[in-house]
PDB file of all heavy atoms in Angstrom:
ATOM      1  N   MET A   1       0.804  -1.211   0.000  1.00  0.00           N
ATOM      2  CA  MET A   1       0.000   0.000   0.000  1.00  0.00           C
ATOM      3  C   MET A   1       0.839   1.264   0.000  1.00  0.00           C
ATOM      4  O   MET A   1       0.453   2.275  -0.544  1.00  0.00           O
ATOM      5  CB  MET A   1      -0.854  -0.028   1.257  1.00  0.00           C
ATOM      6  CG  MET A   1      -2.146   0.533   0.960  1.00  0.00           C
ATOM      7  SD  MET A   1      -3.189   1.479   1.818  1.00  0.00           S
ATOM      8  CE  MET A   1      -2.719   3.068   1.257  1.00  0.00           C
ATOM      9  N   CYS A   2       2.008   1.151   0.667  1.00  0.00           N
ATOM     10  CA  CYS A   2       2.905   2.309   0.658  1.00  0.00           C
ATOM     11  C   CYS A   2       3.772   2.308  -0.583  1.00  0.00           C
ATOM     12  O   CYS A   2       4.794   2.980  -0.644  1.00  0.00           O
ATOM     13  CB  CYS A   2       3.802   2.304   1.883  1.00  0.00           C
ATOM     14  SG  CYS A   2       2.893   2.635   3.364  1.00  0.00           S
ATOM     15  N   ALA A   4       5.359   3.275  -3.797  1.00  0.00           N
ATOM     16  CA  ALA A   4       5.503   4.510  -4.552  1.00  0.00           C
ATOM     17  C   ALA A   4       6.434   4.181  -5.702  1.00  0.00           C
ATOM     18  O   ALA A   4       7.374   3.413  -5.539  1.00  0.00           O
ATOM     19  CB  ALA A   4       6.072   5.607  -3.663  1.00  0.00           C
ATOM     20  N   PRO A   6       8.791   5.229  -9.156  1.00  0.00           N
ATOM     21  CA  PRO A   6       9.482   6.324  -9.842  1.00  0.00           C
ATOM     22  C   PRO A   6       9.029   6.440 -11.293  1.00  0.00           C
ATOM     23  O   PRO A   6       8.791   5.439 -11.967  1.00  0.00           O
ATOM     24  CB  PRO A   6      10.957   5.901  -9.770  1.00  0.00           C
ATOM     25  CG  PRO A   6      10.946   4.415  -9.651  1.00  0.00           C
ATOM     26  CD  PRO A   6       9.638   4.044  -8.990  1.00  0.00           C
ATOM     27  N   PHE A  18      -1.388  23.943  -7.564  1.00  0.00           N
ATOM     28  CA  PHE A  18      -2.183  22.805  -8.032  1.00  0.00           C
ATOM     29  C   PHE A  18      -1.813  22.325  -9.433  1.00  0.00           C
ATOM     30  O   PHE A  18      -2.649  21.838 -10.174  1.00  0.00           O
ATOM     31  CB  PHE A  18      -3.678  23.088  -7.871  1.00  0.00           C
ATOM     32  CG  PHE A  18      -4.073  22.922  -6.441  1.00  0.00           C
ATOM     33  CD1 PHE A  18      -4.115  23.997  -5.578  1.00  0.00           C
ATOM     34  CD2 PHE A  18      -4.337  21.650  -5.931  1.00  0.00           C
ATOM     35  CE1 PHE A  18      -4.427  23.826  -4.236  1.00  0.00           C
ATOM     36  CE2 PHE A  18      -4.657  21.469  -4.592  1.00  0.00           C
ATOM     37  CZ  PHE A  18      -4.702  22.567  -3.738  1.00  0.00           C
ATOM     38  N   GLY A  26       7.727   3.944 -17.567  1.00  0.00           N
ATOM     39  CA  GLY A  26       8.181   2.908 -18.496  1.00  0.00           C
ATOM     40  C   GLY A  26       7.109   2.505 -19.493  1.00  0.00           C
ATOM     41  O   GLY A  26       6.930   1.318 -19.762  1.00  0.00           O
ATOM     42  N   PHE A  36       3.216  18.791  -3.676  1.00  0.00           N
ATOM     43  CA  PHE A  36       4.280  18.631  -2.677  1.00  0.00           C
ATOM     44  C   PHE A  36       5.683  18.848  -3.258  1.00  0.00           C
ATOM     45  O   PHE A  36       6.661  18.837  -2.512  1.00  0.00           O
ATOM     46  CB  PHE A  36       4.207  17.243  -2.024  1.00  0.00           C
ATOM     47  CG  PHE A  36       2.879  16.970  -1.369  1.00  0.00           C
ATOM     48  CD1 PHE A  36       2.195  15.775  -1.593  1.00  0.00           C
ATOM     49  CD2 PHE A  36       2.296  17.922  -0.524  1.00  0.00           C
ATOM     50  CE1 PHE A  36       0.971  15.542  -0.992  1.00  0.00           C
ATOM     51  CE2 PHE A  36       1.064  17.688   0.065  1.00  0.00           C
ATOM     52  CZ  PHE A  36       0.401  16.494  -0.163  1.00  0.00           C
ATOM     53  N   HIS A  49       2.908   8.333  -5.481  1.00  0.00           N
ATOM     54  CA  HIS A  49       2.110   7.475  -4.593  1.00  0.00           C
ATOM     55  C   HIS A  49       0.676   8.004  -4.582  1.00  0.00           C
ATOM     56  O   HIS A  49       0.462   9.205  -4.351  1.00  0.00           O
ATOM     57  CB  HIS A  49       2.714   7.512  -3.191  1.00  0.00           C
ATOM     58  CG  HIS A  49       1.910   6.796  -2.148  1.00  0.00           C
ATOM     59  ND1 HIS A  49       1.703   5.436  -2.176  1.00  0.00           N
ATOM     60  CD2 HIS A  49       1.269   7.250  -1.048  1.00  0.00           C
ATOM     61  CE1 HIS A  49       0.963   5.087  -1.125  1.00  0.00           C
ATOM     62  NE2 HIS A  49       0.689   6.157  -0.434  1.00  0.00           N
ATOM     63  N   VAL A  50      -0.294   7.146  -4.830  1.00  0.00           N
ATOM     64  CA  VAL A  50      -1.736   7.469  -4.896  1.00  0.00           C
ATOM     65  C   VAL A  50      -2.042   8.841  -5.524  1.00  0.00           C
ATOM     66  O   VAL A  50      -2.818   9.631  -4.995  1.00  0.00           O
ATOM     67  CB  VAL A  50      -2.462   7.308  -3.529  1.00  0.00           C
ATOM     68  CG1 VAL A  50      -2.405   5.865  -3.050  1.00  0.00           C
ATOM     69  CG2 VAL A  50      -1.934   8.233  -2.447  1.00  0.00           C
ATOM     70  N   PHE A  52      -0.018  11.416  -6.150  1.00  0.00           N
ATOM     71  CA  PHE A  52       0.783  12.562  -5.727  1.00  0.00           C
ATOM     72  C   PHE A  52       2.266  12.262  -5.899  1.00  0.00           C
ATOM     73  O   PHE A  52       2.716  11.160  -5.545  1.00  0.00           O
ATOM     74  CB  PHE A  52       0.537  12.875  -4.246  1.00  0.00           C
ATOM     75  CG  PHE A  52      -0.800  13.488  -3.972  1.00  0.00           C
ATOM     76  CD1 PHE A  52      -1.937  12.683  -3.906  1.00  0.00           C
ATOM     77  CD2 PHE A  52      -0.941  14.857  -3.793  1.00  0.00           C
ATOM     78  CE1 PHE A  52      -3.190  13.233  -3.655  1.00  0.00           C
ATOM     79  CE2 PHE A  52      -2.180  15.419  -3.542  1.00  0.00           C
ATOM     80  CZ  PHE A  52      -3.308  14.617  -3.477  1.00  0.00           C
ATOM     81  N   LEU A  54       5.617  12.462  -4.368  1.00  0.00           N
ATOM     82  CA  LEU A  54       6.053  12.666  -2.973  1.00  0.00           C
ATOM     83  C   LEU A  54       7.399  13.358  -2.899  1.00  0.00           C
ATOM     84  O   LEU A  54       7.719  14.000  -1.914  1.00  0.00           O
ATOM     85  CB  LEU A  54       6.158  11.331  -2.233  1.00  0.00           C
ATOM     86  CG  LEU A  54       4.861  10.640  -1.873  1.00  0.00           C
ATOM     87  CD1 LEU A  54       5.150   9.402  -1.028  1.00  0.00           C
ATOM     88  CD2 LEU A  54       3.934  11.575  -1.106  1.00  0.00           C
ATOM     89  N   ASN A  55       8.219  13.147  -3.918  1.00  0.00           N
ATOM     90  CA  ASN A  55       9.510  13.814  -3.956  1.00  0.00           C
ATOM     91  C   ASN A  55      10.117  13.643  -5.337  1.00  0.00           C
ATOM     92  O   ASN A  55       9.701  12.774  -6.096  1.00  0.00           O
ATOM     93  CB  ASN A  55      10.459  13.235  -2.899  1.00  0.00           C
ATOM     94  CG  ASN A  55      11.290  14.324  -2.243  1.00  0.00           C
ATOM     95  OD1 ASN A  55      11.343  15.454  -2.736  1.00  0.00           O
ATOM     96  ND2 ASN A  55      11.935  13.990  -1.143  1.00  0.00           N
ATOM     97  N   ASP A  58      16.764  12.450  -6.510  1.00  0.00           N
ATOM     98  CA  ASP A  58      18.015  13.195  -6.561  1.00  0.00           C
ATOM     99  C   ASP A  58      18.987  12.391  -7.429  1.00  0.00           C
ATOM    100  O   ASP A  58      19.560  11.391  -6.992  1.00  0.00           O
ATOM    101  CB  ASP A  58      18.526  13.366  -5.124  1.00  0.00           C
ATOM    102  CG  ASP A  58      19.852  14.112  -5.056  1.00  0.00           C
ATOM    103  OD1 ASP A  58      20.576  14.160  -6.080  1.00  0.00           O
ATOM    104  OD2 ASP A  58      20.148  14.638  -3.976  1.00  0.00           O
ATOM    105  N   GLU A  59      19.123  12.846  -8.685  1.00  0.00           N
ATOM    106  CA  GLU A  59      19.876  12.030  -9.653  1.00  0.00           C
ATOM    107  C   GLU A  59      21.344  11.912  -9.275  1.00  0.00           C
ATOM    108  O   GLU A  59      21.968  10.877  -9.503  1.00  0.00           O
ATOM    109  CB  GLU A  59      19.705  12.598 -11.066  1.00  0.00           C
ATOM    110  CG  GLU A  59      18.218  12.719 -11.411  1.00  0.00           C
ATOM    111  CD  GLU A  59      17.903  12.594 -12.889  1.00  0.00           C
ATOM    112  OE1 GLU A  59      18.732  12.052 -13.644  1.00  0.00           O
ATOM    113  OE2 GLU A  59      16.806  13.028 -13.272  1.00  0.00           O
ATOM    114  N   ASP A  76      35.191  -7.007  -5.585  1.00  0.00           N
ATOM    115  CA  ASP A  76      34.907  -8.265  -4.903  1.00  0.00           C
ATOM    116  C   ASP A  76      34.614  -9.454  -5.797  1.00  0.00           C
ATOM    117  O   ASP A  76      34.849 -10.578  -5.401  1.00  0.00           O
ATOM    118  CB  ASP A  76      33.684  -8.110  -3.986  1.00  0.00           C
ATOM    119  CG  ASP A  76      34.015  -7.308  -2.750  1.00  0.00           C
ATOM    120  OD1 ASP A  76      35.170  -6.853  -2.671  1.00  0.00           O
ATOM    121  OD2 ASP A  76      33.135  -7.141  -1.904  1.00  0.00           O
TER     122      ASP A  76
ATOM    123  N   MET B   1      13.472   0.415 -17.262  1.00  0.00           N
ATOM    124  CA  MET B   1      12.908   1.588 -16.566  1.00  0.00           C
ATOM    125  C   MET B   1      13.955   2.142 -15.601  1.00  0.00           C
ATOM    126  O   MET B   1      14.481   1.417 -14.756  1.00  0.00           O
ATOM    127  CB  MET B   1      11.652   1.138 -15.821  1.00  0.00           C
ATOM    128  CG  MET B   1      11.014   2.178 -14.925  1.00  0.00           C
ATOM    129  SD  MET B   1      10.107   3.406 -15.833  1.00  0.00           S
ATOM    130  CE  MET B   1      10.241   4.795 -14.731  1.00  0.00           C
ATOM    131  N   ARG B   2      14.242   3.438 -15.742  1.00  0.00           N
ATOM    132  CA  ARG B   2      15.265   4.039 -14.899  1.00  0.00           C
ATOM    133  C   ARG B   2      14.841   4.078 -13.439  1.00  0.00           C
ATOM    134  O   ARG B   2      13.672   4.231 -13.139  1.00  0.00           O
ATOM    135  CB  ARG B   2      15.539   5.459 -15.384  1.00  0.00           C
ATOM    136  CG  ARG B   2      17.023   5.601 -15.563  1.00  0.00           C
ATOM    137  CD  ARG B   2      17.419   6.868 -16.180  1.00  0.00           C
ATOM    138  NE  ARG B   2      18.438   7.415 -15.309  1.00  0.00           N
ATOM    139  CZ  ARG B   2      18.704   8.687 -15.204  1.00  0.00           C
ATOM    140  NH1 ARG B   2      18.031   9.545 -15.895  1.00  0.00           N
ATOM    141  NH2 ARG B   2      19.645   9.085 -14.407  1.00  0.00           N
ATOM    142  N   TYR B   3      15.790   3.969 -12.549  1.00  0.00           N
ATOM    143  CA  TYR B   3      15.555   3.920 -11.109  1.00  0.00           C
ATOM    144  C   TYR B   3      14.798   2.674 -10.685  1.00  0.00           C
ATOM    145  O   TYR B   3      14.285   2.605  -9.587  1.00  0.00           O
ATOM    146  CB  TYR B   3      14.873   5.200 -10.593  1.00  0.00           C
ATOM    147  CG  TYR B   3      15.735   6.392 -10.850  1.00  0.00           C
ATOM    148  CD1 TYR B   3      15.360   7.381 -11.739  1.00  0.00           C
ATOM    149  CD2 TYR B   3      16.996   6.471 -10.257  1.00  0.00           C
ATOM    150  CE1 TYR B   3      16.203   8.440 -12.021  1.00  0.00           C
ATOM    151  CE2 TYR B   3      17.837   7.523 -10.533  1.00  0.00           C
ATOM    152  CZ  TYR B   3      17.445   8.504 -11.417  1.00  0.00           C
ATOM    153  OH  TYR B   3      18.279   9.534 -11.696  1.00  0.00           O
ATOM    154  N   ARG B  19      29.685  -9.469  -0.222  1.00  0.00           N
ATOM    155  CA  ARG B  19      30.179  -8.558   0.817  1.00  0.00           C
ATOM    156  C   ARG B  19      29.461  -8.796   2.150  1.00  0.00           C
ATOM    157  O   ARG B  19      30.080  -8.740   3.212  1.00  0.00           O
ATOM    158  CB  ARG B  19      30.002  -7.121   0.348  1.00  0.00           C
ATOM    159  CG  ARG B  19      30.699  -6.202   1.272  1.00  0.00           C
ATOM    160  CD  ARG B  19      31.112  -4.921   0.653  1.00  0.00           C
ATOM    161  NE  ARG B  19      32.404  -4.959   0.016  1.00  0.00           N
ATOM    162  CZ  ARG B  19      33.119  -3.858  -0.221  1.00  0.00           C
ATOM    163  NH1 ARG B  19      32.645  -2.689   0.153  1.00  0.00           N
ATOM    164  NH2 ARG B  19      34.273  -3.920  -0.818  1.00  0.00           N
ATOM    165  N   ALA B  22      30.865 -11.848   3.648  1.00  0.00           N
ATOM    166  CA  ALA B  22      32.198 -11.637   4.205  1.00  0.00           C
ATOM    167  C   ALA B  22      32.151 -10.851   5.510  1.00  0.00           C
ATOM    168  O   ALA B  22      33.081 -10.910   6.307  1.00  0.00           O
ATOM    169  CB  ALA B  22      33.063 -10.899   3.182  1.00  0.00           C
ATOM    170  N   SER B 117      -6.687   7.806  -6.514  1.00  0.00           N
ATOM    171  CA  SER B 117      -6.180   8.901  -5.681  1.00  0.00           C
ATOM    172  C   SER B 117      -7.321   9.394  -4.790  1.00  0.00           C
ATOM    173  O   SER B 117      -8.476   9.386  -5.203  1.00  0.00           O
ATOM    174  CB  SER B 117      -5.716  10.039  -6.591  1.00  0.00           C
ATOM    175  OG  SER B 117      -5.659  11.254  -5.868  1.00  0.00           O
ATOM    176  N   THR B 143       1.001   7.852   2.998  1.00  0.00           N
ATOM    177  CA  THR B 143      -0.281   8.161   2.369  1.00  0.00           C
ATOM    178  C   THR B 143      -0.959   9.367   3.025  1.00  0.00           C
ATOM    179  O   THR B 143      -1.883   9.955   2.456  1.00  0.00           O
ATOM    180  CB  THR B 143      -1.201   6.918   2.434  1.00  0.00           C
ATOM    181  OG1 THR B 143      -0.418   5.767   2.116  1.00  0.00           O
ATOM    182  CG2 THR B 143      -2.335   6.994   1.443  1.00  0.00           C
ATOM    183  N   ALA B 146      -1.426  12.729   0.962  1.00  0.00           N
ATOM    184  CA  ALA B 146      -2.442  12.644  -0.091  1.00  0.00           C
ATOM    185  C   ALA B 146      -3.837  12.683   0.528  1.00  0.00           C
ATOM    186  O   ALA B 146      -4.732  13.404   0.048  1.00  0.00           O
ATOM    187  CB  ALA B 146      -2.248  11.360  -0.902  1.00  0.00           C
ATOM    188  N   ARG B 156     -11.710  23.636   1.268  1.00  0.00           N
ATOM    189  CA  ARG B 156     -11.518  24.828   0.434  1.00  0.00           C
ATOM    190  C   ARG B 156     -12.726  25.027  -0.486  1.00  0.00           C
ATOM    191  O   ARG B 156     -13.198  26.143  -0.684  1.00  0.00           O
ATOM    192  CB  ARG B 156     -10.246  24.643  -0.395  1.00  0.00           C
ATOM    193  CG  ARG B 156      -9.872  25.832  -1.262  1.00  0.00           C
ATOM    194  CD  ARG B 156      -8.905  25.440  -2.361  1.00  0.00           C
ATOM    195  NE  ARG B 156      -9.520  24.499  -3.296  1.00  0.00           N
ATOM    196  CZ  ARG B 156      -8.865  23.897  -4.284  1.00  0.00           C
ATOM    197  NH1 ARG B 156      -7.567  24.098  -4.442  1.00  0.00           N
ATOM    198  NH2 ARG B 156      -9.490  23.063  -5.100  1.00  0.00           N
ATOM    199  N   HIS B 194       9.620   4.713   2.114  1.00  0.00           N
ATOM    200  CA  HIS B 194       8.625   5.659   1.595  1.00  0.00           C
ATOM    201  C   HIS B 194       7.952   6.456   2.702  1.00  0.00           C
ATOM    202  O   HIS B 194       7.503   7.578   2.485  1.00  0.00           O
ATOM    203  CB  HIS B 194       7.618   4.934   0.688  1.00  0.00           C
ATOM    204  CG  HIS B 194       8.268   4.485  -0.590  1.00  0.00           C
ATOM    205  ND1 HIS B 194       7.821   3.427  -1.325  1.00  0.00           N
ATOM    206  CD2 HIS B 194       9.364   4.941  -1.240  1.00  0.00           C
ATOM    207  CE1 HIS B 194       8.608   3.261  -2.384  1.00  0.00           C
ATOM    208  NE2 HIS B 194       9.552   4.170  -2.343  1.00  0.00           N
ATOM    209  N   ARG B 249      18.501   8.653  -2.486  1.00  0.00           N
ATOM    210  CA  ARG B 249      18.023   9.294  -3.721  1.00  0.00           C
ATOM    211  C   ARG B 249      16.649   9.932  -3.566  1.00  0.00           C
ATOM    212  O   ARG B 249      16.288  10.805  -4.343  1.00  0.00           O
ATOM    213  CB  ARG B 249      18.056   8.313  -4.903  1.00  0.00           C
ATOM    214  CG  ARG B 249      17.090   7.148  -4.860  1.00  0.00           C
ATOM    215  CD  ARG B 249      17.310   6.244  -6.076  1.00  0.00           C
ATOM    216  NE  ARG B 249      16.437   5.082  -6.124  1.00  0.00           N
ATOM    217  CZ  ARG B 249      16.636   3.965  -5.436  1.00  0.00           C
ATOM    218  NH1 ARG B 249      17.671   3.859  -4.639  1.00  0.00           N
ATOM    219  NH2 ARG B 249      15.795   2.955  -5.548  1.00  0.00           N
ATOM    220  N   VAL B 250      15.856   9.506  -2.589  1.00  0.00           N
ATOM    221  CA  VAL B 250      14.552  10.172  -2.366  1.00  0.00           C
ATOM    222  C   VAL B 250      14.260  10.570  -0.922  1.00  0.00           C
ATOM    223  O   VAL B 250      13.397  11.414  -0.696  1.00  0.00           O
ATOM    224  CB  VAL B 250      13.335   9.346  -2.840  1.00  0.00           C
ATOM    225  CG1 VAL B 250      12.939   9.718  -4.240  1.00  0.00           C
ATOM    226  CG2 VAL B 250      13.538   7.872  -2.675  1.00  0.00           C
ATOM    227  N   ASN B 256       9.617  15.673   3.407  1.00  0.00           N
ATOM    228  CA  ASN B 256       9.066  16.684   2.501  1.00  0.00           C
ATOM    229  C   ASN B 256       8.259  17.693   3.329  1.00  0.00           C
ATOM    230  O   ASN B 256       7.198  17.366   3.867  1.00  0.00           O
ATOM    231  CB  ASN B 256       8.176  15.994   1.467  1.00  0.00           C
ATOM    232  CG  ASN B 256       7.614  16.980   0.457  1.00  0.00           C
ATOM    233  OD1 ASN B 256       7.267  18.104   0.813  1.00  0.00           O
ATOM    234  ND2 ASN B 256       7.532  16.571  -0.795  1.00  0.00           N
ATOM    235  N   GLU B 349       0.571  -7.165   0.207  1.00  0.00           N
ATOM    236  CA  GLU B 349       1.743  -6.851   1.019  1.00  0.00           C
ATOM    237  C   GLU B 349       1.713  -7.538   2.378  1.00  0.00           C
ATOM    238  O   GLU B 349       2.642  -7.420   3.161  1.00  0.00           O
ATOM    239  CB  GLU B 349       1.868  -5.344   1.216  1.00  0.00           C
ATOM    240  CG  GLU B 349       2.340  -4.672  -0.046  1.00  0.00           C
ATOM    241  CD  GLU B 349       2.072  -3.191  -0.045  1.00  0.00           C
ATOM    242  OE1 GLU B 349       1.964  -2.609   1.040  1.00  0.00           O
ATOM    243  OE2 GLU B 349       1.954  -2.640  -1.136  1.00  0.00           O
TER     244      GLU B 349
END
Side-chain angles (χ1 to χ4, degrees):
Chain A
M1 217 217 94
C2 290
F18 283 95
F36 302 132
H49 174 65
V50 298
F52 288 80
L54 288 185
N55 219 347
D58 179 339
E59 305 209 20
D76 286 3
Chain B
M1 174 76 208
R2 231 173 129 206
Y3 299 113
R19 190 154 273 201
S117 160
T143 317
R156 183 198 64 186
H194 291 154
R249 68 183 179 280
V250 266
N256 182 322
E349 286 162 25

